[in-house]
Amino acid sequence: MAHLGGQVGWNDVTVIGKKGPKTGTHLKSQSEIVAAQKKGLAVETEKKYEAGGNKQHGGPSNATKLDRETEELKHKTLDLQVGKVIQQARTAKGMTQVELARTINEKQQIINEYEQAKAIPNQQILSKLERVLGVKLRGKDIGQPFGPKK
């Protein structure tokens, strides 16, 4: 028996605001759900969409999509014919790769890549090489003498 005022004995139990879960409250643990069902309260459960799913391991990731991609994308590299023309013109002028690189203010490695046709074509570098070597490296007439425009 609960008393609102006065003296409370050892056998009296005072319960304040313990009527069970209010409507619209969410019971988190399984024991809370079982306790509510034992009291005769209506318990409604709903499964949340993708609840508890580990996002790292669910569904295909972008890496998987990239692995499945079949289209090969490559940079356009220099034509092998242009590389041979650069090498022939350089040796005809009696220049080494280092001397040619120094003349056009580039690294020796770039000249090496252009001669092996591994470089991604840069129009500024090709223009410098054309002027120094005196040979056309772009257009239809690759390998022809390079002269001023008429």
Side-chain angles (χ1 to χ4, degrees):
M1 179 176 203
H3 298 283
L4 294 177
Q7 202 169 11
V8 179
W10 284 103
N11 295 331
D12 294 334
V13 177
T14 305
V15 178
I16 301 173
K18 197 71 166 160
K19 296 178 184 174
K22 296 177 185 168
T23 57
T25 60
H26 301 290
L27 303 175
K28 301 288 183 189
S29 68
Q30 187 68 28
S31 62
E32 289 177 345
I33 294 171
V34 171
Q37 287 174 338
K38 283 182 181 178
K39 288 184 181 179
L41 300 173
V43 177
E44 181 181 330
T45 58
E46 18 177 286
K47 173 116 172 88
K48 292 184 180 178
Y49 177 72
E50 289 190 27
N54 191 345
K55 296 290 183 187
Q56 290 177 339
H57 301 292
S61 65
N62 286 340
T64 310
K65 289 177 187 176
L66 286 172
D67 287 343
R68 290 185 193 147
E69 184 66 42
T70 57
E71 184 180 356
E72 287 191 36
L73 302 174
K74 293 184 178 178
H75 286 289
K76 182 181 174 190
T77 56
L78 209 59
D79 190 24
L80 190 58
Q81 178 190 1
V82 175
K84 290 189 183 284
V85 168
I86 292 171
Q87 188 175 13
Q88 290 170 353
R90 176 181 58 81
T91 54
K93 289 229 176 204
M95 298 176 85
T96 64
Q97 286 184 348
V98 175
E99 291 169 343
L100 179 58
R102 193 176 303 129
T103 307
I104 66 167
N105 293 325
E106 296 291 340
K107 295 180 181 176
Q108 182 266 331
Q109 179 183 354
I110 290 176
I111 303 300
N112 189 14
E113 288 175 357
Y114 270 78
E115 287 184 1
Q116 293 177 3
K118 291 182 180 177
I120 298 170
N122 183 337
Q123 297 303 317
Q124 289 178 326
I125 294 175
L126 286 172
S127 176
K128 291 178 190 178
L129 287 170
E130 282 179 337
R131 279 184 266 134
V132 171
L133 297 174
V135 176
K136 280 202 153 236
L137 301 174
R138 301 176 286 185
K140 297 180 216 167
D141 46 355
I142 294 173
Q144 299 299 317
F146 180 73
K149 290 184 181 178
K150 295 176 184 175

mmCIF file with all atom_site columns, all heavy atoms in Angstrom, residues 45-60:
data_model
loop_
_atom_site.group_PDB
_atom_site.id
_atom_site.type_symbol
_atom_site.label_atom_id
_atom_site.label_alt_id
_atom_site.label_comp_id
_atom_site.label_asym_id
_atom_site.label_entity_id
_atom_site.label_seq_id
_atom_site.pdbx_PDB_ins_code
_atom_site.Cartn_x
_atom_site.Cartn_y
_atom_site.Cartn_z
_atom_site.occupancy
_atom_site.B_iso_or_equiv
_atom_site.pdbx_formal_charge
_atom_site.auth_seq_id
_atom_site.auth_comp_id
_atom_site.auth_asym_id
_atom_site.auth_atom_id
_atom_site.pdbx_PDB_model_num
ATOM 1   N N   . THR A 1 45 ? 5.979  -4.896 -33.616 1.00 0.00 ? 45 THR A N   1
ATOM 2   C CA  . THR A 1 45 ? 7.377  -4.879 -34.040 1.00 0.00 ? 45 THR A CA  1
ATOM 3   C C   . THR A 1 45 ? 7.429  -4.584 -35.526 1.00 0.00 ? 45 THR A C   1
ATOM 4   O O   . THR A 1 45 ? 6.585  -5.029 -36.291 1.00 0.00 ? 45 THR A O   1
ATOM 5   C CB  . THR A 1 45 ? 8.064  -6.234 -33.777 1.00 0.00 ? 45 THR A CB  1
ATOM 6   O OG1 . THR A 1 45 ? 7.352  -7.243 -34.469 1.00 0.00 ? 45 THR A OG1 1
ATOM 7   C CG2 . THR A 1 45 ? 8.099  -6.550 -32.309 1.00 0.00 ? 45 THR A CG2 1
ATOM 8   N N   . GLU A 1 46 ? 8.403  -3.824 -35.920 1.00 0.00 ? 46 GLU A N   1
ATOM 9   C CA  . GLU A 1 46 ? 8.628  -3.566 -37.336 1.00 0.00 ? 46 GLU A CA  1
ATOM 10  C C   . GLU A 1 46 ? 10.101 -3.704 -37.636 1.00 0.00 ? 46 GLU A C   1
ATOM 11  O O   . GLU A 1 46 ? 10.948 -3.316 -36.848 1.00 0.00 ? 46 GLU A O   1
ATOM 12  C CB  . GLU A 1 46 ? 8.157  -2.177 -37.791 1.00 0.00 ? 46 GLU A CB  1
ATOM 13  C CG  . GLU A 1 46 ? 7.921  -1.141 -36.792 1.00 0.00 ? 46 GLU A CG  1
ATOM 14  C CD  . GLU A 1 46 ? 7.540  0.193  -37.383 1.00 0.00 ? 46 GLU A CD  1
ATOM 15  O OE1 . GLU A 1 46 ? 8.418  0.876  -37.925 1.00 0.00 ? 46 GLU A OE1 1
ATOM 16  O OE2 . GLU A 1 46 ? 6.365  0.556  -37.261 1.00 0.00 ? 46 GLU A OE2 1
ATOM 17  N N   . LYS A 1 47 ? 10.400 -4.259 -38.792 1.00 0.00 ? 47 LYS A N   1
ATOM 18  C CA  . LYS A 1 47 ? 11.776 -4.426 -39.231 1.00 0.00 ? 47 LYS A CA  1
ATOM 19  C C   . LYS A 1 47 ? 12.149 -3.198 -40.031 1.00 0.00 ? 47 LYS A C   1
ATOM 20  O O   . LYS A 1 47 ? 11.455 -2.821 -40.969 1.00 0.00 ? 47 LYS A O   1
ATOM 21  C CB  . LYS A 1 47 ? 11.901 -5.684 -40.092 1.00 0.00 ? 47 LYS A CB  1
ATOM 22  C CG  . LYS A 1 47 ? 13.244 -5.866 -40.727 1.00 0.00 ? 47 LYS A CG  1
ATOM 23  C CD  . LYS A 1 47 ? 13.922 -7.096 -40.207 1.00 0.00 ? 47 LYS A CD  1
ATOM 24  C CE  . LYS A 1 47 ? 15.173 -7.402 -40.967 1.00 0.00 ? 47 LYS A CE  1
ATOM 25  N NZ  . LYS A 1 47 ? 16.348 -6.785 -40.495 1.00 0.00 ? 47 LYS A NZ  1
ATOM 26  N N   . LYS A 1 48 ? 13.224 -2.563 -39.627 1.00 0.00 ? 48 LYS A N   1
ATOM 27  C CA  . LYS A 1 48 ? 13.686 -1.388 -40.359 1.00 0.00 ? 48 LYS A CA  1
ATOM 28  C C   . LYS A 1 48 ? 14.385 -1.824 -41.638 1.00 0.00 ? 48 LYS A C   1
ATOM 29  O O   . LYS A 1 48 ? 15.035 -2.861 -41.672 1.00 0.00 ? 48 LYS A O   1
ATOM 30  C CB  . LYS A 1 48 ? 14.645 -0.565 -39.498 1.00 0.00 ? 48 LYS A CB  1
ATOM 31  C CG  . LYS A 1 48 ? 13.968 0.079  -38.318 1.00 0.00 ? 48 LYS A CG  1
ATOM 32  C CD  . LYS A 1 48 ? 14.934 0.947  -37.570 1.00 0.00 ? 48 LYS A CD  1
ATOM 33  C CE  . LYS A 1 48 ? 14.266 1.604  -36.388 1.00 0.00 ? 48 LYS A CE  1
ATOM 34  N NZ  . LYS A 1 48 ? 15.192 2.405  -35.622 1.00 0.00 ? 48 LYS A NZ  1
ATOM 35  N N   . TYR A 1 49 ? 14.271 -1.011 -42.655 1.00 0.00 ? 49 TYR A N   1
ATOM 36  C CA  . TYR A 1 49 ? 14.908 -1.308 -43.928 1.00 0.00 ? 49 TYR A CA  1
ATOM 37  C C   . TYR A 1 49 ? 16.420 -1.268 -43.770 1.00 0.00 ? 49 TYR A C   1
ATOM 38  O O   . TYR A 1 49 ? 16.966 -0.286 -43.288 1.00 0.00 ? 49 TYR A O   1
ATOM 39  C CB  . TYR A 1 49 ? 14.451 -0.297 -44.982 1.00 0.00 ? 49 TYR A CB  1
ATOM 40  C CG  . TYR A 1 49 ? 15.104 -0.482 -46.317 1.00 0.00 ? 49 TYR A CG  1
ATOM 41  C CD1 . TYR A 1 49 ? 14.786 -1.556 -47.126 1.00 0.00 ? 49 TYR A CD1 1
ATOM 42  C CD2 . TYR A 1 49 ? 16.077 0.403  -46.763 1.00 0.00 ? 49 TYR A CD2 1
ATOM 43  C CE1 . TYR A 1 49 ? 15.385 -1.742 -48.340 1.00 0.00 ? 49 TYR A CE1 1
ATOM 44  C CE2 . TYR A 1 49 ? 16.694 0.226  -47.981 1.00 0.00 ? 49 TYR A CE2 1
ATOM 45  C CZ  . TYR A 1 49 ? 16.339 -0.848 -48.761 1.00 0.00 ? 49 TYR A CZ  1
ATOM 46  O OH  . TYR A 1 49 ? 16.946 -1.037 -49.972 1.00 0.00 ? 49 TYR A OH  1
ATOM 47  N N   . GLU A 1 50 ? 17.092 -2.344 -44.144 1.00 0.00 ? 50 GLU A N   1
ATOM 48  C CA  . GLU A 1 50 ? 18.543 -2.485 -44.065 1.00 0.00 ? 50 GLU A CA  1
ATOM 49  C C   . GLU A 1 50 ? 19.075 -2.238 -42.657 1.00 0.00 ? 50 GLU A C   1
ATOM 50  O O   . GLU A 1 50 ? 20.162 -1.689 -42.475 1.00 0.00 ? 50 GLU A O   1
ATOM 51  C CB  . GLU A 1 50 ? 19.239 -1.544 -45.052 1.00 0.00 ? 50 GLU A CB  1
ATOM 52  C CG  . GLU A 1 50 ? 19.058 -1.959 -46.490 1.00 0.00 ? 50 GLU A CG  1
ATOM 53  C CD  . GLU A 1 50 ? 19.950 -1.170 -47.426 1.00 0.00 ? 50 GLU A CD  1
ATOM 54  O OE1 . GLU A 1 50 ? 21.020 -0.693 -47.007 1.00 0.00 ? 50 GLU A OE1 1
ATOM 55  O OE2 . GLU A 1 50 ? 19.579 -1.030 -48.589 1.00 0.00 ? 50 GLU A OE2 1
ATOM 56  N N   . ALA A 1 51 ? 18.278 -2.585 -41.650 1.00 0.00 ? 51 ALA A N   1
ATOM 57  C CA  . ALA A 1 51 ? 18.721 -2.372 -40.268 1.00 0.00 ? 51 ALA A CA  1
ATOM 58  C C   . ALA A 1 51 ? 19.815 -3.369 -39.927 1.00 0.00 ? 51 ALA A C   1
ATOM 59  O O   . ALA A 1 51 ? 19.708 -4.548 -40.218 1.00 0.00 ? 51 ALA A O   1
ATOM 60  C CB  . ALA A 1 51 ? 17.549 -2.544 -39.318 1.00 0.00 ? 51 ALA A CB  1
ATOM 61  N N   . GLY A 1 52 ? 20.860 -2.887 -39.325 1.00 0.00 ? 52 GLY A N   1
ATOM 62  C CA  . GLY A 1 52 ? 21.942 -3.756 -38.884 1.00 0.00 ? 52 GLY A CA  1
ATOM 63  C C   . GLY A 1 52 ? 22.831 -4.243 -40.006 1.00 0.00 ? 52 GLY A C   1
ATOM 64  O O   . GLY A 1 52 ? 23.708 -5.053 -39.793 1.00 0.00 ? 52 GLY A O   1
ATOM 65  N N   . GLY A 1 53 ? 22.606 -3.770 -41.198 1.00 0.00 ? 53 GLY A N   1
ATOM 66  C CA  . GLY A 1 53 ? 23.447 -4.206 -42.322 1.00 0.00 ? 53 GLY A CA  1
ATOM 67  C C   . GLY A 1 53 ? 24.787 -3.514 -42.269 1.00 0.00 ? 53 GLY A C   1
ATOM 68  O O   . GLY A 1 53 ? 24.876 -2.327 -41.966 1.00 0.00 ? 53 GLY A O   1
ATOM 69  N N   . ASN A 1 54 ? 25.815 -4.240 -42.556 1.00 0.00 ? 54 ASN A N   1
ATOM 70  C CA  . ASN A 1 54 ? 27.147 -3.656 -42.588 1.00 0.00 ? 54 ASN A CA  1
ATOM 71  C C   . ASN A 1 54 ? 27.362 -3.057 -43.974 1.00 0.00 ? 54 ASN A C   1
ATOM 72  O O   . ASN A 1 54 ? 27.428 -3.759 -44.969 1.00 0.00 ? 54 ASN A O   1
ATOM 73  C CB  . ASN A 1 54 ? 28.195 -4.730 -42.288 1.00 0.00 ? 54 ASN A CB  1
ATOM 74  C CG  . ASN A 1 54 ? 29.561 -4.133 -42.053 1.00 0.00 ? 54 ASN A CG  1
ATOM 75  O OD1 . ASN A 1 54 ? 29.801 -2.978 -42.377 1.00 0.00 ? 54 ASN A OD1 1
ATOM 76  N ND2 . ASN A 1 54 ? 30.452 -4.922 -41.506 1.00 0.00 ? 54 ASN A ND2 1
ATOM 77  N N   . LYS A 1 55 ? 27.452 -1.766 -44.035 1.00 0.00 ? 55 LYS A N   1
ATOM 78  C CA  . LYS A 1 55 ? 27.557 -1.075 -45.323 1.00 0.00 ? 55 LYS A CA  1
ATOM 79  C C   . LYS A 1 55 ? 28.850 -1.411 -46.059 1.00 0.00 ? 55 LYS A C   1
ATOM 80  O O   . LYS A 1 55 ? 28.913 -1.320 -47.264 1.00 0.00 ? 55 LYS A O   1
ATOM 81  C CB  . LYS A 1 55 ? 27.484 0.439  -45.122 1.00 0.00 ? 55 LYS A CB  1
ATOM 82  C CG  . LYS A 1 55 ? 26.168 0.912  -44.578 1.00 0.00 ? 55 LYS A CG  1
ATOM 83  C CD  . LYS A 1 55 ? 25.088 0.770  -45.602 1.00 0.00 ? 55 LYS A CD  1
ATOM 84  C CE  . LYS A 1 55 ? 23.783 1.319  -45.069 1.00 0.00 ? 55 LYS A CE  1
ATOM 85  N NZ  . LYS A 1 55 ? 22.675 1.072  -45.915 1.00 0.00 ? 55 LYS A NZ  1
ATOM 86  N N   . GLN A 1 56 ? 29.903 -1.802 -45.324 1.00 0.00 ? 56 GLN A N   1
ATOM 87  C CA  . GLN A 1 56 ? 31.164 -2.107 -45.976 1.00 0.00 ? 56 GLN A CA  1
ATOM 88  C C   . GLN A 1 56 ? 31.057 -3.369 -46.824 1.00 0.00 ? 56 GLN A C   1
ATOM 89  O O   . GLN A 1 56 ? 31.728 -3.506 -47.827 1.00 0.00 ? 56 GLN A O   1
ATOM 90  C CB  . GLN A 1 56 ? 32.267 -2.307 -44.946 1.00 0.00 ? 56 GLN A CB  1
ATOM 91  C CG  . GLN A 1 56 ? 32.663 -1.036 -44.257 1.00 0.00 ? 56 GLN A CG  1
ATOM 92  C CD  . GLN A 1 56 ? 33.710 -1.294 -43.190 1.00 0.00 ? 56 GLN A CD  1
ATOM 93  O OE1 . GLN A 1 56 ? 33.849 -2.405 -42.710 1.00 0.00 ? 56 GLN A OE1 1
ATOM 94  N NE2 . GLN A 1 56 ? 34.437 -0.266 -42.826 1.00 0.00 ? 56 GLN A NE2 1
ATOM 95  N N   . HIS A 1 57 ? 30.236 -4.314 -46.374 1.00 0.00 ? 57 HIS A N   1
ATOM 96  C CA  . HIS A 1 57 ? 30.207 -5.597 -47.058 1.00 0.00 ? 57 HIS A CA  1
ATOM 97  C C   . HIS A 1 57 ? 28.898 -5.846 -47.789 1.00 0.00 ? 57 HIS A C   1
ATOM 98  O O   . HIS A 1 57 ? 28.681 -6.918 -48.323 1.00 0.00 ? 57 HIS A O   1
ATOM 99  C CB  . HIS A 1 57 ? 30.455 -6.731 -46.062 1.00 0.00 ? 57 HIS A CB  1
ATOM 100 C CG  . HIS A 1 57 ? 31.777 -6.592 -45.376 1.00 0.00 ? 57 HIS A CG  1
ATOM 101 N ND1 . HIS A 1 57 ? 32.964 -6.738 -46.031 1.00 0.00 ? 57 HIS A ND1 1
ATOM 102 C CD2 . HIS A 1 57 ? 32.096 -6.276 -44.100 1.00 0.00 ? 57 HIS A CD2 1
ATOM 103 C CE1 . HIS A 1 57 ? 33.959 -6.537 -45.191 1.00 0.00 ? 57 HIS A CE1 1
ATOM 104 N NE2 . HIS A 1 57 ? 33.455 -6.257 -44.009 1.00 0.00 ? 57 HIS A NE2 1
ATOM 105 N N   . GLY A 1 58 ? 28.018 -4.899 -47.806 1.00 0.00 ? 58 GLY A N   1
ATOM 106 C CA  . GLY A 1 58 ? 26.746 -5.090 -48.490 1.00 0.00 ? 58 GLY A CA  1
ATOM 107 C C   . GLY A 1 58 ? 26.818 -4.554 -49.903 1.00 0.00 ? 58 GLY A C   1
ATOM 108 O O   . GLY A 1 58 ? 27.348 -3.490 -50.158 1.00 0.00 ? 58 GLY A O   1
ATOM 109 N N   . GLY A 1 59 ? 26.316 -5.290 -50.867 1.00 0.00 ? 59 GLY A N   1
ATOM 110 C CA  . GLY A 1 59 ? 26.235 -4.824 -52.240 1.00 0.00 ? 59 GLY A CA  1
ATOM 111 C C   . GLY A 1 59 ? 27.591 -4.600 -52.878 1.00 0.00 ? 59 GLY A C   1
ATOM 112 O O   . GLY A 1 59 ? 28.609 -4.579 -52.206 1.00 0.00 ? 59 GLY A O   1
ATOM 113 N N   . PRO A 1 60 ? 27.610 -4.417 -54.174 1.00 0.00 ? 60 PRO A N   1
ATOM 114 C CA  . PRO A 1 60 ? 28.891 -4.207 -54.861 1.00 0.00 ? 60 PRO A CA  1
ATOM 115 C C   . PRO A 1 60 ? 29.429 -2.808 -54.583 1.00 0.00 ? 60 PRO A C   1
ATOM 116 O O   . PRO A 1 60 ? 28.696 -1.836 -54.589 1.00 0.00 ? 60 PRO A O   1
ATOM 117 C CB  . PRO A 1 60 ? 28.534 -4.376 -56.337 1.00 0.00 ? 60 PRO A CB  1
ATOM 118 C CG  . PRO A 1 60 ? 27.076 -4.097 -56.417 1.00 0.00 ? 60 PRO A CG  1
ATOM 119 C CD  . PRO A 1 60 ? 26.486 -4.496 -55.094 1.00 0.00 ? 60 PRO A CD  1
#
